Amino acid sequence: MRNSNSAIIGIDLGGTNLRFALLDMSGTILIRDRQPTEIDRGKDALLHRLTAGIAGIRDKAAGIGLKVRAIGAGAPGLILKDGTILSSVNLAPLEGLNLRSYLELQSGLPVTVANDANAAAYGEKSFGAGKPFSSFLLLTIGTGVGSGLILDNKVWTGADGLAAEYGHATIVPDGRSCPCGNKGCLEQYASANAIVLSALEAVQLGRGGPLASYSTGEITAETVARHAFAGDPLSLEIFNEAGRFLGIAAASIVNLLNIEAILIGGGVARSFGLLAGPMLRELSARAYNAIAARVKIISGALGDDAGCIGSAVLAMNSITRLNRLRLYKKQGE
Ligand SMILES: [Zn+2]
């Protein structure tokens, strides 16, 4: 679709923030909007704000002479290919909802729905740090660990759309319990929550240093990162451990897939400098040399925009495919 007045809405429906972006057909963000998700106010309230947000962006688009052609939305959890939210720890009240049908009905536009990390991976592939690579894994490290897999330039979604839940790869048998039902998942050792938990455990064991001066609810992953950057041995050790676990997980994935890069995105990516070293060391020690030597561990380039951009590009591709199909059918008539 080459219409210069066309635009796409990308939505990132996160556990914490609900982000909207209006993109032109070259992938440039023209308008952004962000509000708290506040899922505790219930499903109806969230859906209302979602549709109101879309209407607001469409109005603004019209104001600058643009017509919205499609909507792409990313959401955390297991998202089936038809757009149904099968399960979502962060957005539990939306479980069972076909978000795609709902938004299509509300907006009258074609809608694409994907897992948020899959969408973010596609965003990085299209306009970010993933551009030079045909195959890579994006790990989004925030409250949890999400992942999106690009194989041969396409998002790998698996048989049902549920692929690339690499945050739930087991790295410690019988380790910390995970909300997914498993024990010892990567997410329990490398996420922001995991870093906080490790800090609390160390303080409870009587380890000294600056972390011991905080009360339980005060320690965040940023606190630990700040002290690690300042040279606190305990904080450094906690990030080293998280990086080591990421490296253990990464070694399996590169041996399996021979990908070119692992991108780190999400909030904890701001601590990339603390994680990348131990991650690469562990990866190199465990994976085949020939496979490990070519893998680049780099930071994502799109930051918090990756999800919105990727969702919008997936929607853009989907309407381009639809238009080609219509043209093909027309020619065959
Ligand atoms: Zn898990």
Side-chain angles (χ1 to χ4, degrees):
M1 186 167 290
R2 290 193 188 86
N3 305 10
S4 57
N5 72 335
S6 294
I8 308 278
I9 293 177
I11 301 171
D12 188 357
L13 178 47
T16 310
N17 287 305
L18 171 55
R19 297 173 200 274
F20 299 89
L22 180 77
L23 283 83
D24 66 16
M25 300 308 273
S26 69
T28 305
I29 295 184
L30 305 170
I31 294 167
R32 277 186 187 81
D33 184 23
R34 189 183 78 168
Q35 45 184 288
T37 305
E38 295 179 333
I39 189 63
D40 46 336
R41 287 170 58 193
K43 175 180 168 181
D44 291 344
L46 176 58
L47 292 179
H48 176 73
R49 279 182 301 120
L50 194 52
T51 46
I54 291 169
I57 296 277
R58 284 176 93 171
D59 283 347
K60 285 180 188 163
I64 50 172
L66 292 173
K67 195 167 168 51
V68 175
R69 305 284 179 188
I71 297 169
L78 297 180
I79 316 292
L80 290 168
K81 281 186 174 170
D82 70 355
T84 301
I85 301 177
L86 184 66
S87 84
S88 179
V89 173
N90 294 319
L91 301 175
L94 299 192
E95 285 178 0
L97 173 77
N98 186 317
L99 186 61
R100 178 185 172 186
S101 303
Y102 176 82
L103 292 178
E104 282 188 342
L105 200 69
Q106 294 293 322
S107 67
L109 289 169
V111 175
T112 305
V113 175
N115 166 275
D116 56 355
N118 288 0
Y122 202 65
E124 292 286 354
K125 168 65 198 161
S126 306
F127 296 108
K131 259 169 100 172
F133 311 115
S134 62
S135 298
F136 67 87
L137 180 79
L138 169 74
L139 287 171
T140 56
I141 309 178
T143 316
V145 175
S147 68
L149 182 61
I150 302 290
L151 285 182
D152 288 338
N153 300 308
K154 294 194 187 83
V155 184
W156 179 263
T157 56
D160 302 307
L162 311 179
E165 287 299 323
Y166 206 61
H168 300 279
T170 305
I171 50 162
V172 180
D174 304 316
R176 292 173 179 166
S177 293
C178 184
C180 77
N182 187 25
K183 280 181 176 172
C185 294
L186 175 62
E187 178 167 299
Q188 299 307 318
Y189 294 88
S191 61
N193 284 355
I195 286 163
V196 172
L197 188 59
S198 298
L200 293 174
E201 281 176 0
V203 170
Q204 269 165 14
L205 285 171
R207 298 281 302 268
L211 293 180
S213 64
Y214 291 88
S215 62
T216 303
E218 274 179 351
I219 297 182
T220 64
E222 288 84 39
T223 320
V224 185
R226 207 172 51 246
H227 287 298
F229 279 121
D232 168 45
L234 173 59
S235 304
L236 274 168
E237 188 186 306
I238 290 167
F239 269 93
N240 264 327
E241 273 297 281
R244 203 169 73 83
F245 282 120
L246 286 167
I248 293 171
S252 317
I253 204 101
V254 300
N255 270 354
L256 178 69
L257 297 170
N258 188 197
I259 47 178
E260 300 159 87
I262 295 175
L263 270 55
I264 308 289
V268 178
R270 284 188 280 273
S271 309
F272 180 79
L274 295 168
L275 293 169
M279 185 176 171
L280 187 61
R281 267 198 301 282
E282 198 68 28
L283 165 70
S284 305
R286 289 176 185 268
Y288 272 109
N289 280 343
I291 295 174
R294 68 156 14 261
V295 179
K296 293 188 168 57
I297 296 178
I298 54 178
S299 178
L302 302 180
D304 292 337
D305 287 334
C308 279
I309 293 177
S311 294
V313 179
L314 286 170
M316 210 183 282
N317 290 354
S318 151
I319 55 167
T320 309
R321 257 198 315 276
L322 258 174
N323 285 339
R324 258 197 233 121
L325 198 65
R326 279 197 199 116
L327 192 69
Y328 176 76
K329 276 187 180 157
K330 217 170 166 183
Q331 283 168 347
E333 274 167 11

